[in-house]
Amino acid sequence: MRSGVFFYSCNNMGLHVTWFCLVSMLYMICGIVCFEKKLLFSTSTGYLKDIDLETGVLRLLGNADSGVFALAYDKTERYIYVPRFTSGDILRFPYPNNKTIVFESVVSGNQPGGIAFDSANSHLYWTEPKEGNIMRCNSDGSNVITIINGTGTPAALTIDIANRWMYYSQDISNGTLQRLTLDGKESRVIDNQASWVYGICIDDQRLYWMDNLMGDLKSAWYNGSDVETIVSTNSTKRNWDIDINDDFIFYTSNTTILKTGKSPGQNLTVVHTDTDQITGILFYKQEGKNTCISKITNIVYKIIA
Ligand SMILES: *[C@@H]1O[C@H](CO)[C@@H](O)[C@H](O)[C@H]1NC(C)=O
Ligand SMILES: *[C@@H]1O[C@H](CO)[C@@H](O)[C@H](O)[C@H]1NC(C)=O
Ligand SMILES: *[C@@H]1O[C@H](CO)[C@@H](O)[C@H](O)[C@H]1NC(C)=O
Ligand SMILES: *[C@@H]1O[C@H](CO)[C@@H](O)[C@H](O)[C@H]1NC(C)=O
Ligand SMILES: *[C@@H]1O[C@H](CO)[C@@H](O)[C@H](O)[C@H]1NC(C)=O
Ligand SMILES: *[C@@H]1O[C@H](CO)[C@@H](O)[C@H](O)[C@H]1NC(C)=O
Ligand SMILES: *[C@@H]1O[C@H](CO)[C@@H](O)[C@H](O)[C@H]1NC(C)=O
């Protein structure tokens, strides 16, 4: 609508502004086409899908043939990492990708559950709840090291790259949320009322998590104070992963993905309802604005030449 009006007024201006109009229009198209926003998710049956949040178009990306409870993205090398709980390994595939995805094997793990990627250091972290391990390797699966071993059934994991901390939850009813230095040497309990938390993430102010048992989506300051319940899904034992963008929290509950604001009392929107239970979720926003603008600029130069 807006670009239609723009086009009309462009046509009615003198020739001297035509190039300016053309360039502006290309930038506008660029804003719509190039900066896509998507939600990727996994189901309890191992399907990986994405939804374009602008158009609502749903795509089946592939089948991991295993329970997948979390997803991570390396925005530098542009890979999605997929921990396969039942198969006992971690795969990756390039994203964004228009073709059918082809998985690459990265590393084996003992029932990997949670996963997080530190793009600043090209390190992949994952949890092994049954073993009580948090593990790390390089993006290609080399140099596997144990960060913590044999304690506390770690489940969901997220990394605060700026402050060099990770936050993780536990796969038990009387669980805690803990903060750990990236080398695993110092830890601190942030919250001690977190039963089976499988979704955890942070923004530049607060920590957010989803309680699987009661379906309480909560948030607190990094130090654990000011805990508030944003939403109670009331869907017992069917609440899995969460992710955030600047304004919203996306969370999975049973067969649906929902969206709400970051504080209590805001509207809930159903983003998608699937045939299977939805487990892992990841918000993706295309970066690389400069690449896009330079592409458009090249097109403009070609037209002028
Ligand atoms: C996917 O296809 C769209 C439209 O055909 C194109 O603009 C985009 O560059 C393609 N992306 C990749 C990663 O190939
Ligand atoms: C964990 O610690 C135990 C005992 O110290 C050791 O036998 C085991 O190999 C360690 N596991 C890993 C994955 O490092
Ligand atoms: C949680 O409960 C189990 C068994 O009921 C107990 O062994 C464990 O010590 C408890 N953990 C914490 C952190 O309270
Ligand atoms: C926790 O962090 C918040 C926000 O930074 C701060 O206002 C509060 O005083 C801190 N609480 C404690 C107990 O340190
Ligand atoms: C869950 O139950 C509580 C208490 O009955 C209610 O206030 C809340 O709106 C319910 N949540 C949803 C998402 O329906
Ligand atoms: C989960 O969704 C299924 C299918 O819609 C429904 O039959 C079931 O009652 C739901 N379970 C819970 C706990 O909400
Ligand atoms: C919720 O949605 C309604 C209708 O779209 C809108 O009027 C209201 O302001 C929204 N409330 C919040 C807290 O965003």
Side-chain angles (χ1 to χ4, degrees):
M1 182 67 203
R2 218 193 285 159
S3 62
V5 170
F6 193 83
F7 191 55
Y8 178 80
S9 55
C10 266
N11 271 343
N12 287 282
M13 281 187 225
L15 252 182
H16 60 285
V17 288
T18 309
W19 282 118
F20 169 76
C21 279
L22 181 60
V23 173
S24 309
M25 264 168 58
L26 285 169
Y27 274 83
M28 229 183 246
I29 293 165
C30 182
I32 297 160
V33 176
C34 300
F35 309 131
E36 30 175 36
K37 293 178 187 162
K38 293 195 170 175
L39 270 183
L40 280 90
F41 63 93
S42 59
T43 69
S44 55
T45 44
Y47 286 108
L48 299 171
K49 303 182 186 180
D50 75 1
I51 307 170
D52 186 315
L53 292 173
E54 309 291 338
T55 63
V57 172
L58 176 75
R59 295 190 308 167
L60 173 63
L61 300 173
N63 188 346
D65 287 321
S66 172
V68 173
F69 297 104
L71 297 164
Y73 189 55
D74 171 10
K75 61 184 181 188
T76 308
E77 292 187 72
R78 295 168 171 255
Y79 280 99
I80 301 281
Y81 286 81
V82 181
R84 299 202 301 167
F85 187 80
T86 25
S87 307
D89 58 9
I90 297 170
L91 308 180
R92 69 176 185 178
F93 63 89
Y95 190 87
N97 187 344
N98 286 341
K99 297 177 223 104
T100 312
I101 59 172
V102 178
F103 291 111
E104 277 172 42
S105 181
V106 178
V107 70
S108 64
N110 202 318
Q111 297 189 318
I115 195 165
F117 200 91
D118 170 4
S119 286
N121 298 287
S122 211
H123 284 154
L124 177 70
Y125 291 83
W126 73 94
T127 62
E128 298 179 347
K130 291 251 163 70
E131 299 293 312
N133 293 340
I134 294 180
M135 310 291 291
R136 191 190 90 188
C137 68
N138 294 345
S139 60
D140 62 0
S142 63
N143 197 21
V144 177
I145 65 165
T146 306
I147 303 292
I148 60 169
N149 177 1
T151 48
T153 60
L157 186 67
T158 192
I159 293 178
D160 176 354
I161 293 176
N163 293 306
R164 318 287 306 146
W165 284 326
M166 70 178 102
Y167 293 86
Y168 71 93
S169 63
Q170 292 181 285
D171 197 13
I172 49 176
S173 67
N174 53 350
T176 59
L177 297 182
Q178 305 212 20
R179 190 179 79 192
L180 188 67
T181 48
L182 289 188
D183 61 8
K185 297 221 163 90
E186 278 171 59
S187 78
R188 172 180 166 177
V189 172
I190 299 296
D191 186 85
N192 58 10
Q193 308 215 324
S195 359
W196 292 296
V197 167
Y198 302 130
I200 184 169
C201 59
I202 52 164
D203 61 13
D204 53 6
Q205 301 201 310
R206 292 173 74 90
L207 183 65
Y208 303 84
W209 67 96
M210 171 62 91
D211 177 316
N212 177 276
L213 179 64
M214 301 309 291
D216 289 343
L217 176 62
K218 295 184 178 179
S219 100
W221 296 117
Y222 290 157
N223 58 20
S225 70
D226 188 33
V227 176
E228 60 184 23
T229 301
I230 299 165
V231 165
S232 295
T233 71
N234 304 326
S235 182
T236 315
K237 289 192 182 173
R238 283 180 175 256
N239 311 283
W240 297 88
D241 205 3
I242 65 172
D243 203 0
I244 52 173
N245 65 11
D246 291 345
D247 305 312
F248 298 103
I249 306 174
F250 299 93
Y251 59 99
T252 71
S253 181
N254 203 13
T255 54
T256 56
I257 298 173
L258 293 105
K259 180 178 110 169
T260 187
K262 290 184 174 177
S263 49
Q266 302 201 31
N267 289 338
L268 297 182
T269 314
V270 174
V271 177
H272 175 64
T273 301
D274 210 87
T275 45
D276 294 319
Q277 184 168 330
I278 300 174
T279 45
I281 192 174
L282 183 109
F283 174 78
Y284 167 82
K285 183 181 177 190
Q286 189 161 22
E287 299 195 354
K289 195 173 176 171
N290 294 337
T291 330
C292 192
I293 298 227
S294 70
K295 252 190 228 162
I296 296 290
T297 311
N298 280 342
I299 293 169
V300 171
Y301 281 150
K302 270 184 197 147
I303 295 169
I304 295 173

